[in-house]
Amino acid sequence: MKRLGNLFEKIVDKDNIRLAHVNAQKGKTFYKEVKMVNSDTDTYIGNIHNMLVDKTFKNAPYEIMHKRCSGKDREIYKLPYYPDRIIHHAIMQVVEPIWQSILIENTYSSIKGRGIHTGLKRLKIDLENIPETQYCLKLDIKKFYPSIDNAILKDVVRKKIKDASLLWLLDEIIDSTKGVPIGNYLSQYLSNVYLAYFDHYCKEVLSLKYYHRYCDDIVILHYSKEHLHTVFKVIENYLNSNLNLDVKSNYQVFPVSIRGIDFLGYRFFHTHILLRKRIAKAMKRAVRKNIKPTTGASYYGWCKHANCYNLRQKYLQDYESKFKRKAS
């Protein structure tokens, strides 16, 4: 695999940093720090350029917030806008296409052009082959983000990047805390890179034809449940031995036609797709509270990809004419 150099000079280029500021401030122009940078952009861009070139940049201390998300309590890490978040964007503007090139097609989380609905379409296509997708192995990783091993992550990053100055910068960010902090702009990409070669192992060594991953949520389909149990043991060993990760004990091997696959916010069967119960319940509660058109558009976007005509007729009919155009 070709390792790439001469990347740092592109990242520290003032035009790249200026573009990073433009991108990082989207939806945040009211932030005090954004206003500060906008008040004298050339000076602040120059300061960032100098601290990177001189290697005086140090990752700022995190502000840690606690948030309940999807029934889980999570620690959300927040960095200052200046200079950290601008620097993250400057890095990704150069590195993102490089990292995206090592990801398999059936990985969807935090990848441009490959979101939830791309995953939905591909899993739906796989399920059209009913004889070969009778059973599903579904698993996820225990405390994935906090459990990422910093030393292993740095080794994985070095499989594609050899630029010493860029590796200094990435190491500074990676070593700023144990694991990968949820909330960092760079974290969503680093987590994908951490599992990228595991994905290739599953597809190319284990020859798993029907394999899908969204973050640490993994779905594998096969005609034999015995084979999937064997695959699970191999995967569990690989993740533990090579990436120092543990699989949650609630992994499942089950018949698709009876249980359906709970994945990407939907429940997938061979013949139809349903909205996940939690999302359907949240939509019903929102409708009772007279949801805003923008919220309704979001729920319409979820529903239009599933077989839930009756649900839409009962709860969204009065809203669809208002937001259908926005959701399309």
Side-chain angles (χ1 to χ4, degrees):
M1 179 182 293
K2 184 179 179 180
R3 297 171 69 230
L4 302 176
N6 302 318
L7 300 171
F8 189 70
E9 60 187 31
K10 297 177 183 178
I11 291 169
V12 302
D13 181 87
K14 289 183 179 180
D15 287 338
N16 184 60
I17 298 171
R18 191 180 306 276
L19 178 61
H21 167 54
V22 170
N23 290 329
Q25 68 175 299
K26 289 177 181 178
K28 304 177 181 67
T29 52
F30 60 92
Y31 280 23
K32 184 177 180 180
E33 284 183 289
V34 175
K35 292 179 180 179
M36 177 189 75
V37 177
N38 283 333
S39 70
D40 191 358
T41 304
D42 288 343
T43 297
Y44 287 106
I45 296 303
N47 289 344
I48 292 175
H49 170 82
N50 291 336
M51 69 177 68
L52 292 177
V53 171
D54 298 338
K55 294 184 172 59
T56 57
F57 166 73
K58 296 292 182 184
N59 198 90
Y62 290 98
E63 177 186 350
I64 301 177
M65 301 170 289
H66 294 270
K67 183 178 180 181
R68 189 158 185 83
C69 180
S70 301
K72 300 177 182 178
D73 291 315
R74 298 187 185 277
E75 285 188 339
I76 308 299
Y77 290 69
K78 184 179 179 181
L79 284 171
Y81 177 80
Y82 171 86
D84 296 76
R85 290 160 77 176
I86 296 175
I87 289 174
H88 283 213
H89 278 264
I91 293 169
M92 289 312 305
Q93 285 165 185
V94 174
V95 174
E96 184 177 14
I98 296 169
W99 281 346
Q100 187 162 336
S101 70
I102 67 174
L103 301 175
I104 66 169
E105 288 187 348
N106 286 9
T107 299
Y108 312 110
S109 176
S110 306
I111 306 169
K112 287 181 180 178
R114 278 198 268 161
I116 287 174
H117 293 138
T118 300
L120 180 149
K121 291 175 184 176
R122 289 183 178 168
L123 181 53
K124 183 180 178 181
I125 290 172
D126 283 356
L127 287 169
E128 290 176 359
N129 189 338
I130 297 175
E132 291 191 16
T133 59
Q134 288 290 305
Y135 293 93
C136 174
L137 165 60
K138 189 172 185 299
L139 61 98
D140 60 344
I141 296 166
K142 185 178 180 181
K143 295 182 179 179
F144 175 49
Y145 274 70
S147 297
I148 289 176
D149 187 299
N150 293 29
I152 295 174
L153 176 57
K154 289 189 288 186
D155 286 342
V156 172
V157 167
R158 282 160 170 77
K159 289 184 178 182
K160 193 64 179 176
I161 295 172
K162 65 178 181 181
D163 186 312
S165 294
L166 175 53
L167 291 172
W168 157 78
L169 178 56
L170 291 173
D171 287 354
E172 170 65 29
I173 295 170
I174 290 170
D175 287 334
S176 62
T177 187
K178 184 178 181 295
V180 169
I182 297 173
N184 260 8
Y185 180 64
L186 203 57
S187 294
Q188 54 192 340
Y189 299 94
L190 289 173
S191 64
N192 260 333
V193 170
Y194 197 70
L195 291 178
Y197 298 99
F198 163 72
D199 292 336
H200 283 280
Y201 174 79
C202 289
K203 291 292 291 182
E204 296 154 18
V205 178
L206 300 183
S207 300
L208 299 177
K209 183 177 180 180
Y210 303 112
Y211 172 94
H212 300 264
R213 179 174 68 81
Y214 185 88
C215 192
D216 65 319
D217 201 1
I218 298 168
V219 164
I220 302 168
L221 304 172
H222 200 266
Y223 62 82
S224 167
K225 64 180 178 181
E226 290 78 13
H227 180 71
L228 289 177
H229 280 291
T230 301
V231 164
F232 170 75
K233 292 177 182 177
V234 175
I235 284 176
E236 184 181 37
N237 180 67
Y238 180 100
L239 290 171
N240 188 259
S241 301
N242 293 276
L243 297 176
N244 199 20
L245 296 172
D246 294 319
V247 177
K248 283 185 181 178
S249 59
N250 63 350
Y251 79 94
Q252 301 170 328
V253 175
F254 55 89
V256 174
S257 60
I258 296 175
R259 293 273 302 278
I261 305 166
D262 190 347
F263 188 57
L264 303 173
Y266 297 90
R267 286 178 63 210
F268 293 82
F269 295 85
H270 289 111
T271 57
H272 60 286
I273 302 171
L274 300 178
L275 203 60
R276 178 180 283 168
K277 289 182 179 179
R278 184 169 65 240
I279 295 174
K281 287 180 179 179
M283 183 187 74
K284 293 173 185 177
R285 286 196 299 269
V287 169
R288 295 188 190 104
K289 294 179 181 179
N290 194 21
I291 56 177
K292 298 177 182 178
T294 51
T295 306
S298 175
Y299 282 121
Y300 172 75
W302 281 100
C303 288
K304 74 176 183 177
H305 293 282
N307 303 99
C308 51
Y309 175 80
N310 291 335
L311 188 67
R312 284 172 50 186
Q313 287 293 101
K314 184 174 181 179
Y315 290 95
L316 295 179
Q317 187 177 29
D318 294 338
Y319 295 90
E320 287 197 18
S321 60
K322 299 177 183 178
F323 55 67
K324 195 170 185 178
R325 187 176 303 163
K326 294 182 181 180
S328 62

